Amino acid sequence: MTLAGVHEVVAALDGVLAGGAGTRVLLVEGPSGCGRSSVVDTVVERSVAHEALVLSAIGLPGEQDSPLGVLRQLVRGEKALAPLTATLDEITSTRSEDMQRLCRELADLRAGRPVVICVDDAHHADEASLDHLQYLARHARFDGLLIVVTVSLHHRPVHPAFLSDLMRRPGFRRVTLGRLGEEDVADLLRAVGRGAAAAPFYELSGGNPLLVRALVEECRDSTTPPAPRSAGPYAMAVAACLHRGGPVAASVAQACVLLGGLATPDRVARVTDMPAATAREALAALEASGILTHTRPLHPVARAAVLAGVSGGRRGTLHQRAALTLRADGCPPAEVAAHLLAAAEHDAPPAGDERAAKVLRETAETLLAEDDAPRALRLLELARPACADRTRQGADGIRLAQVAWRLDPAAAEQHVDTVVRALRSGSLDPGQVQPLVQFLMAQGRCADVAESAPGVAEPFGGPALGASASAVGKDDGDVPPGERVLCSARLTEATWVPIWHAVFALALSDTPGRAVVWSRRLLEEAERRRAPGWGAAFAELHAQALLRTGDVPGAAAA
């Protein structure tokens, strides 16, 4: 456990400060936020209090490209070693004579004091600095030397020769830090004077010490369980853990948050466009740190903190990849649609991306089958500009008009006008002319039909209802001819207009009561299927049918 690891480091330090012989080397490993830097701070503070000579440095991303960068931090951080600064500036390589010289001067300047050297995040250190540190560990000819090196448990490996040589030193110890258990969290809360139950702190932090302390700070003036807030200490601690974990871990965390409960290592790898092995390693690091675990959902504040560093364009790209990935895996259409819509909010699908347009169309049709017309309409609106094929755009326009009418007949007008212009310019596929003509006639735009497609119009109930009508067999001979189509046709975007006309014909026939029955039935179905556009049309027809039967009060109420 983390607390036990800290005690082990302190015990080794106390041995050196008490005048222990030889050189001791501690390699402190752990995931982000689990106390590596806190261990270094403890070592430095305790060593300074005992008047030891303390050299400390922090490896930073990109430090590998700065030869001797970490070593310069170590030397320049201690005033007593000012003479060594000039010496270091003369060193341009890792020749053995240079390392011997540094070792001798350090021995002369320590004045009999213990020497404590700490390098935090050594996985970011440059190779030349590590070579000098390795030489000190092997060849220092004075007692009381402690070298503490911290590395991320799941980051890029430290220089192999450096680690393998340290591990062979007689005084080498490896200390692994990890997440706190619930009892450890309770101990930590008691140590800071909080008698609150540990469970909420443990649940929100995943046992990550940095997050536990941030939650304590979050509710410093309250006795209630922690309630993280946006931009508060907890959110900042989550962001800090991700930053310390490196860009790969941050990218994986972002993909996990976007995928939610559908996240798997394989899907995360595809969404982030990284090798599967790399994604698995990053997921292991996030799991070890407690930022993401399989046993608890992330708090909304933590989710927001994970995504805070993602630009709008990048987030749109991630949502697009998530949609394509989930679609390929056969996940629920609603999940796919959510990512497609989110991608549009941040960065609309690029023009000419036919693959994206196809996914948008297919998902929209699946949502329509589930009577989720609002989201289906939005997906179809996104699909049309994403497709560069003008013929395909015409078909998309007709489909948009059909779906829009299901919700609001007035909103369908703009889509119809666009397709009419395509027809007049000759860019509409011949197969789309008849559906367009039917649509125009349903809107009463006979002049547009005569001008744009003369001689094409056919009676309502043509191809859309012909197959359904022919499905009525001899067993249905007792069904009046006017109702046969109504008995067999399903109410859809392609059939609702001919169905409306079939009921209207019943209303004008000698049996208007049958029109009352059918219009009420279809009105109820439209309401059940969340189609207010259809509902308005059938409600008007229902009132007309009631009038034909002489039920004036009923017609007024309808």
Side-chain angles (χ1 to χ4, degrees):
M1 304 303 294
T2 295
L3 297 181
V6 172
H7 295 154
E8 186 175 355
V9 172
V10 170
L13 172 63
D14 288 346
V16 171
L17 296 178
T23 299
R24 298 189 184 186
V25 179
L26 295 180
L27 177 66
V28 182
E29 300 175 310
S32 296
C34 286
R36 299 194 314 268
S37 297
S38 296
V39 165
V40 170
D41 291 341
T42 299
V43 169
V44 170
E45 292 171 6
R46 200 177 186 90
S47 300
V48 169
H50 284 75
E51 299 183 345
L53 176 59
V54 180
L55 311 181
S56 64
I58 301 175
L60 301 174
E63 193 79 51
Q64 300 93 332
D65 299 325
S66 301
L68 300 177
V70 166
L71 190 59
R72 287 187 171 88
Q73 281 191 59
L74 290 172
V75 172
R76 288 173 178 165
E78 173 57 50
K79 292 181 180 180
L81 295 181
L84 269 180
T85 302
T87 300
L88 192 60
D89 288 338
E90 298 173 4
I91 297 176
T92 57
S93 68
T94 54
R95 295 178 305 169
S96 60
E97 54 265 34
D98 290 328
M99 292 188 281
Q100 291 172 6
R101 180 182 176 187
L102 184 65
C103 192
R104 286 195 307 270
E105 295 198 18
L106 179 61
D108 293 341
L109 290 169
R110 72 184 186 93
R113 294 177 294 169
V115 177
V116 178
I117 300 176
C118 297
V119 178
D120 197 11
D121 286 350
H123 45 275
H124 291 311
D126 63 281
E127 187 173 337
S129 293
L130 294 178
D131 286 342
H132 281 79
L133 199 61
Q134 175 184 336
Y135 186 90
L136 280 173
R138 180 189 297 177
H139 297 289
R141 294 293 183 262
F142 53 85
D143 292 333
L145 172 62
L146 174 65
I147 299 175
V148 180
V149 176
T150 77
V151 296
S152 172
L153 197 57
H154 298 278
H155 212 282
R156 62 178 295 276
V158 181
H159 187 41
F162 171 74
L163 279 184
S164 62
D165 190 73
L166 287 189
M167 291 177 185
R168 290 198 298 269
R169 299 299 98 212
F172 175 81
R173 295 289 298 275
R174 191 174 206 147
V175 178
T176 301
L177 307 179
R179 291 184 285 154
L180 300 172
E182 190 168 341
E183 286 299 318
D184 296 316
V185 172
D187 291 341
L188 191 153
L189 291 175
R190 284 190 290 270
V192 296
R194 289 296 303 252
F201 290 84
Y202 178 72
E203 182 68 18
L204 283 171
S205 68
N208 183 295
L210 181 63
L211 298 186
V212 174
R213 292 186 175 91
L215 289 170
V216 171
E217 176 68 20
E218 195 96 37
C219 57
R220 178 181 294 276
D221 301 322
S222 172
T223 58
T224 60
R229 61 188 187 277
S230 299
Y234 175 73
M236 291 189 289
V238 171
C241 283
L242 287 179
H243 178 73
R244 292 290 297 274
V248 173
S251 181
V252 166
Q254 291 153 9
C256 284
V257 167
L258 290 182
L259 288 168
L262 297 177
T264 65
D266 175 66
R267 287 174 183 157
V268 167
R270 283 184 280 163
V271 170
T272 56
D273 193 25
M274 67 176 60
T278 303
R280 283 194 296 270
E281 290 173 1
L283 282 171
L286 293 167
E287 178 85 18
S289 69
I291 298 175
L292 297 178
T293 70
H294 293 97
T295 57
R296 80 187 205 285
L298 269 184
H299 189 279
V301 168
R303 288 173 54 87
V306 170
L307 296 176
V310 189
S311 66
R314 172 63 177 168
R315 193 177 300 192
T317 298
L318 290 175
H319 276 298
Q320 286 183 19
R321 289 177 179 169
L324 295 174
T325 297
L326 296 180
R327 179 71 179 177
D329 289 354
C331 293
E335 297 285 352
V336 178
H339 286 291
L340 292 173
L341 295 174
E345 290 179 6
H346 295 286
D347 182 23
D353 189 346
E354 177 53 34
R355 185 174 70 144
K358 182 179 180 182
V359 172
L360 288 163
R361 288 190 212 101
E362 291 175 348
T363 306
E365 294 301 327
T366 306
L367 291 175
L368 280 174
E370 299 174 355
D371 293 323
D372 189 352
R375 287 205 294 176
L377 179 63
R378 180 60 181 138
L379 294 181
L380 290 172
E381 289 172 341
L382 295 172
R384 195 175 188 199
C387 176
D389 186 338
R390 295 180 64 187
T391 300
R392 179 69 250 186
Q393 286 183 357
D396 286 344
I398 293 175
R399 194 64 177 137
L400 273 168
Q402 292 174 332
V403 177
W405 198 328
R406 178 171 176 163
L407 299 170
D408 180 6
E413 288 283 346
Q414 58 178 323
H415 300 299
V416 175
D417 290 341
T418 302
V419 182
V420 168
R421 287 194 293 271
L423 174 61
R424 290 172 179 170
S425 68
S427 61
L428 189 66
D429 185 88
Q432 300 300 326
V433 175
Q434 181 59 47
L436 173 61
V437 168
Q438 271 200 348
F439 213 93
L440 291 172
M441 293 181 68
Q443 292 182 313
R445 298 170 59 171
C446 298
D448 284 331
V449 173
E451 178 186 350
S452 304
V456 177
E458 64 179 49
F460 291 111
L465 288 181
S468 297
S470 65
V472 180
K474 294 182 179 180
D475 293 338
D476 299 310
D478 57 339
V479 177
E483 295 188 51
R484 291 186 181 184
V485 165
L486 298 175
C487 290
S488 59
R490 183 179 183 273
L491 187 61
T492 68
E493 285 76 20
T495 65
W496 85 267
V497 173
I499 287 175
W500 187 94
H501 278 270
V503 178
F504 183 69
L506 277 180
L508 298 179
S509 71
D510 295 335
T511 57
R514 298 301 301 163
V516 172
V517 173
W518 277 106
S519 60
R520 182 174 60 247
R521 183 182 301 172
L522 290 164
L523 171 58
E524 291 172 352
E525 181 177 354
E527 291 175 344
R528 185 176 66 254
R529 294 174 60 189
R530 296 173 289 174
W534 294 349
F538 287 121
E540 181 182 359
L541 184 55
H542 185 59
Q544 293 175 1
L546 287 169
L547 278 177
R548 285 281 297 155
T549 63
D551 185 356
V552 177

